[in-house]
Each structure stands twice: as C-alpha cells, then as structure tokens.
Amino acid sequence: MELNLKPLNLPGVPAERPLVIAGPCSAESEEQVMSAARQLHSNGIKVFRAGVWKPRTKPGGFEGQGEKALPWMKRVKEELGMLVCTEVATPHHVELALEAGIDLLWLGARTTANPFAVQDIADALKGADVPVMYKNPVNPDLELWIGGMQRLNGAGITRLAAIHRGFTSYDKTIYRNLPMWHIPIELRRRIPNLPIICDPSHIGGRRELVAPLSQQAMDLGFDGLIIESHCNPDEAWSDAKQQVTPDVLAFILDKLVVRSTGDTTESLSTLRSQIDEMDNKLIELLSKRMRISREIARYKKEHNVAVVQPGRYNEILDKRGAQGVLCGMSGEFMKTVFEAIHSESVRQQIELINK
Ligand code: PEP
Ligand code: MN
C-alpha cells in the first residue's frame, strides 16, 4: 500500500530544511513551559514541543502533568504565535489534544511498537485534519514503522512525518538508542516524499551528542530536527542529561551545515554514514566477543585450565586468515587483526582470573 501524502503545510513556518521543533521533554509547570517557549521563540524557533503525557519505563516516575498542562500549551500558542505539539498515546489524549487546539501530534516509540494502540489512535483521528509525526518503534522493524503510518493514513491522516529516534539495544553503547541509520535511509528509499525528522536527543541520550547527530541527519538529507530544550536542563523532571538550553540550541543550529538535498556530496555522506554504522557494529561485535572470552576465563578458572592454549590460537589464526583471503583481504591483514583481537582477549582473561 502506498501512502497518500500531502505536504505538512505548517502555518507561519517556511517549508525549508530543516524544520526545527524544540522544547522540553515534559511540560512541568506553567512557568517552565512559558520560559522555555519565550526563549526558544526569541531565538527563532517556531514550533514548540512538550510532553503532556509521559510514557515512563517504571511506575512512580513523573508521568507528565496530563490534561492540566494543555492550557499552558494554548498560552504558548496565543502569546507567542508558535505552533505547539505533544505526544498522544490513547484515543482520550487525541480527543483532549484536538480540543485544546494542539497543532501537531506525535506518537511515541513505545506506542508505535503496538499495532492495537496505533489502530485505536488512528480511529480516534478519523476526520481530523491534523499533521502527525510518527516515531519509529523501539525495536528496529521498518515494516512495523511503515505499517503504523499506513494505519493513520487509512484514517485519513495525509500530513505525516516520520521521526527517527533510534532503537533500543541491550548492549551498552555511546547512544541511548542506536541510530541504525540504514533504517531511515531505507524508509526514504521506499517512501521518498515522506518527511523524516531526526530526534538527536533521544538517540544520543546525552547533550554532547545533539550537535553531531543533528549534523549527521542533515548530511543524510533529513527534513527536520526535534530537539529537547529546557531552560535549566539539569533540573528537568525527565531526560535531564539530554536537554540543552535554548541558547545552546541556537548555537548548535547556527553551526549546522545544511546542504541542499540535490548536492552531489549527498551520496558520499550516505556512504560515509554506512561506514560509521559498520564501525559501530564492529565495535559492538568486538565487545560481545570479549564478553564471551571473559565467560571462558571464568570456566578456565573454575576448572584450572591455562589461559592460552597454543593449539586453539593457531587454529583461529589459520582459519580466519583463509576465510579473510577468500573475502578479498590480505593474509597479512587478517593475521594483524586477529593477533590484536587475541591479545586483547588474553589480557581481559588474565585480568579476570587474577581478580
Ligand atoms: C519524547 O519525545 O519525549 C519521548 C518520550 O520520546 P520517545 O517516544 O522517542 O521515547
Ligand atoms: Mn524525552
């Protein structure tokens, strides 16, 4: 099924790249919302975000101010003329948000992982002419991401954008959510006229990563950025580590190099980003391999077996060398790589055994 799409067409917002949406993770109080909105507005931001209902991993955390935050969003709209957007996760949220005149809605990554929830929301959106941003599901499943947008489209939502917010990973990485850029790149290939907005805040999970991730999104030809910004990030009630002040945001945006999508360097950036992705995967794989080595060390310790067993080592070097040559790499290179891997593995095993 093709998506029937129309331009987002946001009143008062020029249709140029990047579309920037900014605001705090959560609407905490009227003052906090207004001060963030005022500063962002004076820095040129036209679309304000704030979570009214917050999906939290565990109960007991701050779950958003709920309905009572909607008039604060309305105030941002009326006093500053910004467009406002928030996350909806149930049909009731949709009803309340539309009633309050919220200009854009988004579906969060936990919601988009659940087709029943998405269908209920799609049903609630029937007949509403509101632009909707659709975050990727927490799991790296492009079909599920597209399928959910088809559900909204089936309910008549044609002003749609995808938000790339990264994917959950069990392994420790520098990211809060793995970017897996090849997935949004494939989405672009499959549905070229669907705007893609990058959410560097939730991908990075740390404020230092907001700038490089935003640049990478621009290099890949993404259409927009949704960035969490709070006047006092360290005191934020949710996602404190990843929020930046409105002034830092302005600085990041000012330094951003936005190339036209017709640029010939585009394919180079795409390839480079694939290389980055591969390197990340290599690092992840190496760290998994080291984890297994340490597991082996535990076994060796319990059974009193020596760490280095030359037979096994030679077997690895010979087999990997031959495999590598078959794949077009030099035997010398393979030997260097596997000697280095082996020596790190031995170092980690010895460290564990001597603990
Ligand atoms: C958010 O944007 O604050 C949010 C909860 O995001 P996600 O659904 O991507 O986790
Ligand atoms: Mn957040």
Side-chain angles (χ1 to χ4, degrees), residues 310-335:
R312 168 75 182 145
Y313 179 38
N314 286 332
E315 181 193 315
I316 288 182
L317 283 188
D318 289 348
K319 278 200 183 148
R320 305 295 188 269
Q323 266 173 285
V325 171
L326 279 178
C327 296
M329 289 171 282
S330 83
E332 197 52 43
F333 168 71
M334 293 307 291
K335 192 160 172 275

Side-chain angles (χ1 to χ4, degrees), residues 30-196:
E30 185 161 10
E31 297 65 48
Q32 172 256 4
V33 165
M34 288 313 297
S35 58
R38 276 194 201 106
Q39 287 196 36
L40 289 164
H41 178 255
S42 69
N43 289 350
I45 303 295
K46 297 193 159 52
V47 190
F48 181 76
R49 65 147 283 158
V52 166
W53 298 280
K54 297 305 298 176
R56 301 313 295 273
T57 303
K58 287 184 180 157
F62 170 59
E63 299 198 321
Q65 296 289 15
E67 207 175 329
K68 76 165 187 275
L70 290 170
W72 312 338
M73 301 294 273
K74 230 174 161 166
R75 200 173 150 202
V76 170
K77 224 177 124 141
E78 284 164 5
E79 282 184 26
L80 302 167
M82 295 172 93
L83 299 185
V84 293
C85 60
T86 201
E87 171 173 350
V88 289
T90 67
H92 190 51
H93 295 165
V94 171
E95 192 189 316
L96 293 171
L98 292 178
E99 240 173 57
I102 301 291
D103 302 284
L104 287 103
L105 307 177
W106 84 78
L107 270 69
R110 292 159 191 81
T111 307
T112 60
N114 177 354
F116 290 119
V118 173
Q119 192 57 56
D120 283 347
I121 293 169
D123 294 342
L125 281 167
K126 260 197 192 115
D129 179 23
V130 64
V132 179
M133 300 183 289
Y134 199 86
K135 289 207 179 197
N136 64 259
V138 283
N139 50 323
D141 184 342
L142 178 60
E143 299 312 318
L144 187 61
W145 194 4
I146 294 177
M149 290 187 280
Q150 288 174 338
R151 289 178 195 276
L152 297 191
N153 208 212
I157 298 297
T158 50
R159 294 195 287 155
L160 263 174
I163 298 179
H164 168 232
R165 52 78 77 197
F167 302 89
T168 300
S169 145
Y170 186 70
D171 293 304
K172 258 200 150 19
T173 73
I174 60 161
Y175 304 108
R176 178 175 175 196
N177 292 291
L178 292 180
M180 304 178 99
W181 295 102
H182 59 286
I183 297 179
I185 289 172
E186 176 62 10
L187 176 64
R188 166 62 33 101
R189 194 188 65 77
R190 297 260 296 269
I191 315 176
N193 56 340
L194 174 72
I196 304 182

Side-chain angles (χ1 to χ4, degrees), residues 212-257:
L213 286 166
S214 300
Q215 185 58 56
Q216 201 162 354
M218 288 302 100
D219 292 346
L220 290 171
F222 280 35
D223 304 277
L225 297 166
I226 179 165
I227 299 180
E228 287 189 340
S229 178
H230 190 290
C231 293
N232 198 351
D234 288 332
E235 303 300 318
W237 297 4
S238 58
D239 289 351
K241 286 203 192 84
Q242 70 196 33
Q243 305 207 54
V244 294
T245 63
D247 285 345
V248 166
L249 175 67
F251 180 77
I252 292 173
L253 294 175
D254 187 54
K255 292 277 164 287
L256 210 58
V257 180

Side-chain angles (χ1 to χ4, degrees), residues 262-275:
D263 213 314
T264 47
T265 58
E266 202 70 27
S267 51
L268 188 59
S269 314
T270 307
L271 292 172
R272 284 197 178 131
S273 141
Q274 282 169 352
I275 291 278

